[in-house]
Amino acid sequence: MPMTDGGFSGSPKLEFAVDMGHPFLNHTVDGFIKIGAVGACKVAADEAFDCLHRGDVSKHKVEHVLKKMCKEGAYWGTIAGVYVGVEYGVDKIRGHRDWKNAMLGGAVTGALVSAVNNHQRQKVVKNAITGGAIAAAAEFLSHLTS
């Protein structure tokens, strides 16, 4: 059900919930949808700028942009879904919620994304460390702004 709430600088905030019947699935799908939408919007903004800058708007270009939006949205949504799912699983296994869950979720996600993209072992480890560091930093920053 849509709900509105005041957000950053008084801007409206729209929230919705997807009930998949299990909290793990709910969190994973929620992460996929939210970050997937952000990825798609980023592509739309980039491509709109390019079209306006070049003055090139055609049916072919619009179709290309829509395909690219779907591809990027699905890619980033999948990464977010994996991260949120792993973080949720770690939370349930450890029995409490803290920055370590975010770090482990980021590390596993970074390693999986790197391994799927056929990177070498050294790159997989580097991306696992990077993913864990970014997720832990994001968790710390979210507590500073709360």
Side-chain angles (χ1 to χ4, degrees), residues 78-84 86-87 104-115 127-128 131:
T78 301
I79 291 172
V82 168
Y83 168 74
V84 170
V86 171
E87 184 183 24
L104 289 170
V108 169
T109 303
L112 284 173
V113 170
S114 188
N127 287 339

Side-chain angles (χ1 to χ4, degrees), residues 74-146:
Y75 177 78
W76 288 107
T78 301
I79 291 172
V82 168
Y83 168 74
V84 170
V86 171
E87 184 183 24
Y88 178 83
V90 170
D91 179 14
K92 292 303 172 196
I93 291 168
R94 292 183 65 233
H96 59 283
R97 184 174 177 86
D98 61 11
W99 65 271
K100 295 173 189 173
N101 300 349
M103 181 191 66
L104 289 170
V108 169
T109 303
L112 284 173
V113 170
S114 188
V116 166
N117 288 324
N118 296 318
H119 286 113
Q120 298 138 354
R121 180 194 214 164
Q122 191 174 18
K123 184 76 170 170
V124 171
V125 171
K126 181 179 176 183
N127 287 339
I129 293 168
T130 302
I134 290 170
E139 186 71 19
F140 285 129
L141 290 173
S142 72
H143 289 292
L144 289 176
T145 60
S146 304

